[in-house]
Amino acid sequence: MKAFRADPELFRSRREQGDRADLSVDGLTLRFGGVVAVNDVTLRVRTGEFLSVIGPNGAGKTSLLNCITGYYRPQEGSISFNGRNVTHMHTHELVREGIGRTFQNIELFPGMSVLSNLLLARHIHYRYGFLPAALFFPSARREEVRHRRIVEELIDFLEMQSIRHRLVGSLPYGLRKRVELGRALALEPKLLILDEPFAGMNLEEKEDMVRFLRELHGEWKRTIVLVEHDMSIVMSLSERIAVLNFGEKLAEGTPGEIQDDPEVTRAYLGPSEEG
Amino acid sequence: MARLQFHPCGNYRESYGEELRIFETDYGRAALLAGLVLLFAVVPFISSAYFLYVINLAGIAVIGAVGLNILIGFTGQISLGHGAFIGVGAYGAAILATSLHLPLFLAVPLAGCVTAAVGMIFGIPSVRLKGLYLAIATLAGQFIIEYVLIQWEGLTKGTMGIVLPQATLFGLPISGDRGFFYLIFALAVFMTWTAKNLFRTRSGRAFMAIRDNDRAAEGMGIPVFPYKLLAFGISSFYAGVAGALWAYYTMSITPEPFNLDLSIEYIAMVIIGGLGSITGSVFGALFISGLNEILRSLFDLLTNLPLLQGMELNPAALRQFVFGLAIVLFILFEPKGLAEVWRVVRSNFRLWPFSY
Ligand SMILES: Nc1ncnc2c1ncn2[C@@H]1O[C@H](COP(=O)(O)OP(=O)(O)OP(=O)(O)O)[C@@H](O)[C@H]1O
Ligand SMILES: [Mg+2]
């Protein structure tokens, strides 16, 4: 496996803060009018873990992620991250806390290059003030170069060297998904949340993505929450799986336990398939 | 390191630092340097007083247009109140200079700061409103400011206007068109360069992120609303400085010029110059200022024609018609504006004489 060859100096900022990423969601409920998108869900993610959340369409997976990342406001329940109550934090504050994500329906900056997209994700890591930047002091230049090097490491890792100057809007779907992963990584999140990163990809692209996620979890020790419909991928990557159905948590366990769970089979195949 | 790069027919940069440069080639830098030398060392001495007056106004327009493009072109927040913000800057400088007797080197930046504050207040609706609705809200701002400039007689002397003292810089009087030329263009060049820097660093990139996708911008850790306000503030600061220079230059100001027409003139500059391009704003400002003068002469010519003697010609209507036409033509045929025209011309010439 291709080990990530990042210069350790570059990623010092991340390691100084430590990699702790303990998430706990307690009794979370989110309603849209009459629709209960998330219903009394309790979930734990521990540091270094690879957790997948699965469930049929409309089960509330994206809604759950949107609550965790501050896009939706749950009506009941609480979310805490590394011991801090983050239930009512805004998205941009949660990013600083160390929660980064990708979106189910790609949310990139289409008019900008791959490079600019990734540099934007460095926003919270810049140290220079407004004036040194406006006058482009040597300190500002040095810092721009430093972030550029970090971003280039990620571009190498994700094998995107040849497209770094391409406009994101002109890239095929599979590559955009990869750019989005790169952008999430450039945030240097402690907790990486991925909403269907494999959707719409062909087999080769899926293989690449699996390889990247393996390395991120294995070598990098990233804590990852994955939402995905492709069961073979979920089963091979995850350490633990949570199953949602109609907003409720139906089951939770290792891939083996989930595969053998009759309730999960019923949720997926529908009651009519039984007997 | 000291290797000169002239032909950008291949990317041979060796460090990330080199990629941060504003100009891709040393040829570009050399051309700009030559242009600046020409501008400061030659233009003021060969120009007639009238021509100098015209380019001084164009220089002021450059500052205002760069400011408006930061807001509209780079942050995606439409403002129809830029003309009024320029008025705030003009009145700010006039009041600071007459009531508080502040010298020019304080009055101009302070007028910019006052305008930035006013701009941020009128930018508050952007927390909820986007696009057309925000445009309407800033239109309301335009009318409110116009109203205040006319009615708050205690401060602005209403329609009487304010007469400014002689401009001096550190004891030296700035006299005549040539003196102002140096003041205006030193500031215009500096503020254009600052704007360029803004967009190769963090805050400028955050503005563009908000323009392209505000949901994703939030997900990058960018607090969207404060940054929108910051964009309003910076844009209005530019407007304020432009207005302050205008006030000092014309020496007496009334509320009348800072109306919706002026706002639309600036919108024409950024659209024709190219939305989201600093260089484009400069071109747009020069283009519209030039067009303004051409129309003025044309109008004088027309009114003197015996054929048209009986007709009631209206200069304001003629200008609106031509500006409107220019905007429409550019949107139809070159939506990326003069910046794109310039880019195409350059890329045709850059391999000269060995073009493909
Ligand atoms: N913004 C919203 N407004 C109203 N209803 C919503 C909204 N977002 C989600 N819902 C509803 O909440 C429920 C859960 O949707 P959600 O997108 O979370 O499902 P999902 O598990 O991600 O599905 P999929 O696998 O198709 O992505 C659905 O019934 C959906 O219609
Ligand atoms: Mg979903």
Side-chain angles (χ1 to χ4, degrees):
Chain A
M1 192 185 288
K2 183 177 80 77
F4 191 69
R5 53 168 194 79
D7 177 354
E9 279 296 299
L10 289 179
F11 287 87
R12 174 177 291 166
S13 58
R14 195 196 71 230
R15 280 179 302 141
E16 272 172 2
Q17 295 155 12
D19 279 345
R20 187 170 165 227
D22 293 324
L23 179 78
S24 60
V25 174
D26 284 292
L28 202 74
T29 299
L30 173 76
R31 295 183 207 94
F32 293 105
V35 182
V36 189
V38 179
N39 192 359
D40 195 22
V41 169
T42 297
L43 196 69
R44 297 259 176 288
V45 185
R46 282 173 225 100
T47 304
E49 191 174 34
F50 197 124
L51 172 83
S52 289
V53 179
I54 62 170
N57 289 112
K61 307 180 292 294
T62 300
S63 301
L64 174 66
L65 300 192
N66 281 345
C67 290
I68 297 172
T69 52
Y71 283 100
Y72 289 166
R73 301 253 154 268
Q75 280 88 6
E76 287 160 38
S78 70
I79 305 166
S80 77
F81 185 61
N82 288 341
R84 264 186 93 166
N85 185 347
V86 298
T87 320
H88 299 292
M89 278 196 186
H90 293 286
T91 302
H92 63 87
E93 295 164 328
L94 289 163
V95 174
R96 283 182 189 274
E97 291 292 312
I99 302 181
R101 73 173 289 185
T102 66
F103 297 83
Q104 182 170 354
N105 309 306
I106 306 181
E107 300 267 8
L108 288 163
F109 306 106
M112 299 184 204
S113 66
V114 172
L115 204 57
S116 304
N117 268 270
L118 265 60
L119 273 175
L120 257 164
R122 301 297 304 166
H123 185 86
I124 55 171
H125 298 287
Y126 277 92
R127 295 284 166 268
Y128 56 58
F130 185 78
L131 220 57
L135 302 177
F136 213 65
F137 282 167
S139 60
R141 173 186 295 273
R142 266 197 306 278
E143 210 175 328
E144 282 298 328
V145 170
R146 187 169 74 84
H147 289 291
R148 174 70 189 271
R149 285 175 62 205
I150 293 174
V151 163
E152 287 290 341
E153 291 291 343
L154 290 169
I155 287 178
D156 280 356
F157 169 55
L158 296 173
E159 293 155 19
M160 301 193 296
Q161 297 90 339
S162 59
I163 56 164
R164 62 158 78 75
H165 289 296
R166 290 267 301 275
L167 291 188
V168 163
S170 72
L171 294 175
Y173 194 81
L175 276 180
R176 281 191 232 178
K177 285 266 175 193
R178 194 183 291 192
V179 175
E180 228 197 354
L181 174 65
R183 195 183 61 176
L185 290 175
L187 294 168
E188 291 185 43
K190 297 169 188 163
L191 175 65
L192 179 62
I193 297 181
L194 307 169
D195 196 353
E196 304 202 16
F198 296 91
M201 283 188 161
N202 63 33
L203 188 63
E204 276 173 43
E205 289 167 337
K206 281 187 181 180
E207 283 172 357
D208 283 337
M209 191 59 115
V210 167
R211 191 158 50 83
F212 297 142
L213 294 190
R214 274 235 163 82
E215 189 164 338
L216 282 172
H217 182 237
E219 318 268 304
W220 273 63
K221 313 285 182 230
R222 305 283 76 202
T223 311
I224 298 175
V225 172
L226 170 73
V227 165
E228 183 49 49
H229 281 293
D230 188 322
M231 278 311 135
S232 58
I233 291 175
V234 168
M235 293 300 162
S236 78
L237 283 174
S238 327
E239 293 170 332
R240 220 152 49 82
I241 297 174
V243 187
L244 289 188
N245 194 24
F246 294 112
E248 291 181 46
K249 191 169 84 175
L250 199 66
E252 191 180 335
T254 63
E257 288 165 0
I258 294 299
Q259 252 163 342
D260 298 336
D261 193 315
E263 279 222 71
V264 175
T265 324
R266 203 167 329 135
Y268 267 91
L269 300 177
S272 58
E273 298 274 330
E274 272 180 301
Chain B
M1 182 63 211
R3 211 168 32 87
L4 288 180
Q5 293 182 329
F6 290 106
H7 285 225
C9 48
N11 181 346
Y12 302 124
R13 274 158 276 187
E14 287 168 353
S15 73
Y16 298 136
E18 284 179 43
E19 292 219 329
L20 285 169
R21 290 180 183 166
I22 292 176
F23 289 98
E24 283 186 9
T25 61
D26 292 317
Y27 183 71
R29 295 168 152 239
L32 179 83
L33 211 67
L36 286 179
V37 169
L38 196 73
L39 180 69
F40 284 104
V42 180
V43 169
F45 298 100
I46 59 164
S47 306
S48 66
Y50 169 70
F51 187 69
L52 215 48
Y53 166 77
V54 173
I55 57 173
N56 279 347
L57 290 186
I60 292 172
V62 165
I63 298 175
V66 167
L68 186 59
N69 216 339
I70 291 173
L71 188 63
I72 299 188
F74 285 96
T75 320
Q77 309 297 305
I78 299 172
S79 166
L80 288 174
H82 208 61
F85 294 150
I86 289 178
V88 173
Y91 270 90
I95 292 163
L96 290 171
T98 51
S99 306
L100 298 179
H101 305 290
L102 287 186
L104 179 137
F105 82 93
L106 285 178
V108 171
L110 276 181
C113 293
V114 169
T115 315
V118 172
M120 283 163 92
I121 292 170
F122 284 99
I124 290 175
S126 69
V127 68
R128 288 253 182 278
L129 305 180
K130 283 183 190 174
L132 198 57
Y133 298 98
L134 181 61
I136 302 294
T138 56
L139 182 63
Q142 166 76 37
F143 291 137
I144 291 170
I145 293 173
E146 267 185 60
Y147 182 82
V148 169
L149 289 185
I150 294 171
Q151 299 297 331
W152 193 355
E153 295 193 354
L155 196 66
T156 67
K157 304 218 182 96
T159 47
M160 294 260 301
I162 302 178
V163 176
L164 280 91
Q166 159 81 43
T168 56
L169 198 56
F170 308 118
L172 288 170
I174 299 174
S175 56
D177 294 313
R178 198 176 293 160
F180 268 99
F181 173 88
Y182 283 106
L183 175 66
I184 290 169
F185 277 86
L187 276 175
V189 168
F190 176 72
M191 290 176 83
T192 306
W193 176 71
T194 322
K196 273 274 186 196
N197 290 340
L198 190 63
F199 292 102
R200 53 177 172 167
T201 49
R202 175 178 188 252
S203 316
R205 272 198 293 267
F207 290 161
M208 292 190 277
I210 291 168
R211 173 195 66 191
D212 278 15
N213 185 341
D214 52 1
R215 251 170 80 82
E218 186 88 22
M220 299 297 102
I222 297 164
V224 170
F225 180 52
Y227 266 89
K228 281 183 184 173
L229 286 189
L230 182 65
F232 268 96
I234 294 174
S235 166
S236 308
F237 180 85
Y238 276 70
V241 170
L245 289 174
W246 202 82
Y248 271 108
Y249 189 37
T250 57
M251 298 201 64
S252 87
I253 53 165
T254 57
E256 186 204 2
F258 309 111
N259 54 16
L260 185 60
D261 280 4
L262 187 63
S263 291
I264 293 183
E265 213 172 299
Y266 273 94
I267 288 178
M269 289 178 202
V270 298
I271 290 178
I272 289 172
L275 287 168
S277 161
I278 297 294
T279 323
S281 333
V282 176
F283 289 146
L286 299 180
F287 182 89
I288 291 290
S289 305
L291 195 61
N292 243 335
E293 281 319 303
I294 292 170
L295 286 179
R296 211 188 305 277
S297 338
L298 191 71
F299 187 77
D300 291 343
L301 208 73
L302 285 179
T303 40
N304 289 332
L305 278 183
L307 189 70
L308 298 172
Q309 212 80 91
M311 287 174 66
E312 295 264 328
L313 282 176
N314 178 348
L318 180 71
R319 273 179 47 200
Q320 281 171 356
F321 173 76
V322 173
F323 285 170
L325 189 69
I327 295 180
V328 170
L329 288 179
F330 264 93
I331 290 177
L332 281 180
F333 296 109
E334 192 50 89
K336 287 180 179 168
L338 289 170
E340 181 69 7
V341 175
W342 170 240
R343 201 188 61 75
V344 170
V345 169
R346 244 182 0 178
S347 66
N348 283 342
F349 267 96
R350 69 186 192 178
L351 296 181
W352 186 87
F354 309 110
S355 52
Y356 294 119

